[in-house]
Amino acid sequence: MIYSLIATVLPGLFRVLLIWFLALAYTDELAAPLIATLLLASSLMMFSSTGLGLIYIQLLQGMNRPSASTLTLKTNALNTLFSVIGVSASVIFLSASFSDLLLITLALSCWQLERHAWIGQRQFRSLAVAEVSLLLVASSAPFVVAPQQALLVISGIIFIVTALMLGWRLYGTRGGNSENTSTLHVARRGLFVGSANFLSGGFIMLLPALLATHVSANTILVIGLIVTIVGTLFILPRSYFNIFIGLVSRQAKRLRLRRSLMKMINRRLQIVVAGMFVPGIIACLFYLLASGIEIDLNRVVLVVIITTVMSIGQLYLLESNLVVYLGKEHITFWVSAVTFGVMLITTHLVANADLTDSLKLNLIFIMLGILYLIRWGFFVTLVKPYYRESNR
């Protein structure tokens, strides 16, 4: 249990430390584009590898388990294809270097895919050791290399650790059969799930790249730092909800949700989220100070707004998962797509308006919070007919 929790937290901690060290090691003008590229790659990773990783776990847990080496080859090939597609689309609309973005996206995607493979085999202890090694080595790179080589060196370290993890896993893997799992099936399901994850949670990490040419380097640095630390802190409510996933999914399969149980889960989630609100604000402000950022009233207001919006996004964890468990995942996909599209339009309009950087960011996140509230209400309305007073 403890190693599972450590393995869950470490990827977020790795991003927090890496971005913090980039901010400390380089000037604002040098660190801002690196941080924007790193966060953009993290959002593209959700598209390219998250879906494939989940499909990998499902196939390994099936009755007719395919060969691990064959499945690994297929998923990594598809991961490379999806990464190239995502990066190519990004550089058309955003000011990013194709080579740098592709390199770091491929590195993060391969690492994420390998993490899912280890999770599928329940090798949490070994995974935690590998992630700690990656965290200690890669996050220290900004202090020993020039900014022009930072992403290259970080990507190289991630590739090396991932290759060692892959070799060790395949060496120790036994079993599986020669059944040929359809590559088209894996690609289709991986693309759908990955796209849904990207549309649902990729916008915030995409934001620094969207604003790169519209606000100052210092503002890009600030927004990158804030969304990184807040996103990592709010892993806790999702991890806590995982305790109830089995129970919730079983009830959803029967299309009968016990009202008292759902209220209890929601109430506990709300307590966890509310309990994190003030500590989350304090952690954000401390993270900014530790990164050499001056704190003024505008920065405090921005931190409060972003923490509030992220809190709202955690309050409908139960309902959003219930929609998927009830077999309506296509609805979640289209709701996320509409939200993503509205936020892209909003960001474009606000970024080109004659406003201060602080006001631009405040307006963007207030709009995101409003959309989160609308989504919450929609999902509650969607699952409410399945509630029952008892489970008999």
Side-chain angles (χ1 to χ4, degrees):
M1 180 67 181
I2 183 64
Y3 289 111
S4 173
L5 181 60
I6 292 173
T8 301
V9 171
L10 280 176
L13 182 60
F14 169 58
R15 192 179 299 116
V16 167
L17 286 178
L18 183 55
I19 289 179
W20 178 27
F21 291 163
L22 285 170
L24 288 177
Y26 308 131
T27 64
D28 291 357
E29 289 72 19
L30 294 174
L34 295 176
I35 290 174
T37 300
L38 183 62
L39 290 176
L40 175 57
S42 298
S43 67
L44 293 175
M45 174 189 70
M46 300 172 69
F47 163 74
S48 62
S49 65
T50 303
L52 290 172
L54 294 174
I55 301 303
Y56 191 106
I57 292 175
Q58 291 175 4
L59 291 172
L60 283 183
Q61 295 176 345
M63 294 295 292
N64 296 317
R65 197 157 49 95
S67 165
S69 57
T70 302
L71 188 57
T72 297
L73 179 62
K74 288 181 179 180
T75 51
N76 275 284
L78 290 170
N79 172 50
T80 302
L81 175 62
F82 294 166
S83 296
V84 171
I85 293 173
V87 170
S88 299
S90 298
V91 297
I92 293 174
F93 302 101
L94 302 173
S95 57
S97 166
F98 179 84
S99 57
D100 287 346
L101 181 58
L102 180 60
L103 192 63
I104 190 64
T105 300
L106 275 174
L108 291 174
S109 296
C110 290
W111 173 54
Q112 179 76 347
L113 190 57
E114 189 59 25
R115 286 189 69 254
H116 278 85
W118 283 65
I119 291 170
Q121 296 183 359
R122 304 191 64 79
Q123 298 292 326
F124 295 112
R125 181 174 182 175
S126 299
L127 176 59
V129 172
E131 290 184 334
V132 169
S133 302
L134 176 63
L135 182 149
L136 294 175
V137 178
S139 61
S140 60
F143 293 109
V144 294
V145 299
Q148 294 79 7
Q149 285 80 45
L151 292 180
L152 174 64
V153 173
I154 292 168
S155 301
I157 294 171
I158 296 174
F159 275 127
I160 291 171
V161 173
T162 302
L164 292 173
M165 291 170 64
L166 172 61
W168 182 258
R169 175 174 61 84
L170 292 181
Y171 175 77
T173 298
R174 298 291 183 270
N177 56 48
S178 58
E179 179 180 335
N180 185 24
T181 304
S182 170
T183 304
L184 182 60
H185 170 74
V186 175
R188 186 174 61 250
R189 289 291 302 155
L191 187 61
F192 177 82
V193 176
S195 298
N197 273 277
F198 172 74
L199 292 171
S200 177
F203 172 78
I204 290 181
M205 288 188 289
L206 191 66
L207 187 59
L210 290 172
L211 295 174
T213 58
H214 300 282
V215 297
S216 67
N218 183 259
T219 300
I220 294 296
L221 191 63
V222 169
I223 190 62
L225 290 165
I226 295 176
V227 300
T228 300
I229 187 65
V230 173
T232 302
L233 289 172
F234 279 99
I235 291 175
L236 180 59
R238 292 193 292 274
S239 300
Y240 180 72
F241 175 73
N242 288 341
I243 298 173
F244 304 101
I245 277 184
L247 183 59
V248 170
S249 62
R250 286 194 297 272
Q251 294 218 352
K253 287 180 180 178
R254 296 195 295 264
L255 302 182
R256 293 178 63 88
L257 305 172
R258 185 148 47 102
R259 189 186 303 273
S260 58
L261 175 64
M262 299 303 137
K263 284 186 175 180
M264 181 272 290
I265 295 174
N266 253 336
R267 185 167 57 251
R268 291 188 178 183
L269 280 173
Q270 289 166 4
I271 291 173
V272 171
V273 173
M276 291 184 62
F277 183 72
V278 173
I281 292 174
I282 295 173
C284 280
L285 295 175
F286 176 79
Y287 188 51
L288 291 176
L289 284 171
S291 302
I293 303 296
E294 293 184 5
I295 302 298
D296 56 20
L297 181 59
N298 288 331
R299 299 274 163 78
V300 174
V301 171
L302 179 61
V303 167
V304 172
I305 290 175
I306 294 178
T307 307
T308 302
V309 171
M310 295 292 286
S311 299
I312 295 172
Q314 303 301 310
L315 290 176
Y316 59 89
L317 269 175
L318 173 63
E319 287 80 10
S320 62
N321 280 274
L322 280 174
V323 172
V324 175
Y325 296 147
L326 290 168
K328 302 178 184 294
E329 58 186 15
H330 61 285
I331 295 179
T332 302
F333 178 88
W334 288 112
V335 169
S336 298
V338 170
T339 303
F340 190 85
V342 171
M343 287 311 304
L344 285 181
I345 295 171
T346 301
T347 301
H348 175 74
L349 295 175
V350 172
N352 288 282
D354 187 18
L355 303 170
T356 63
D357 289 357
S358 297
L359 186 54
K360 288 179 180 179
L361 292 175
N362 291 343
L363 290 174
I364 289 170
F365 278 98
I366 288 172
M367 184 63 186
L368 183 61
I370 292 172
L371 291 177
Y372 278 172
L373 289 172
I374 294 173
R375 286 174 61 171
W376 187 8
F378 177 73
F379 287 149
V380 168
T381 303
L382 201 61
V383 303
K384 194 173 182 180
Y386 296 94
Y387 283 3
R388 300 291 185 269
E389 293 300 332
S390 68
N391 202 33
R392 290 178 296 179

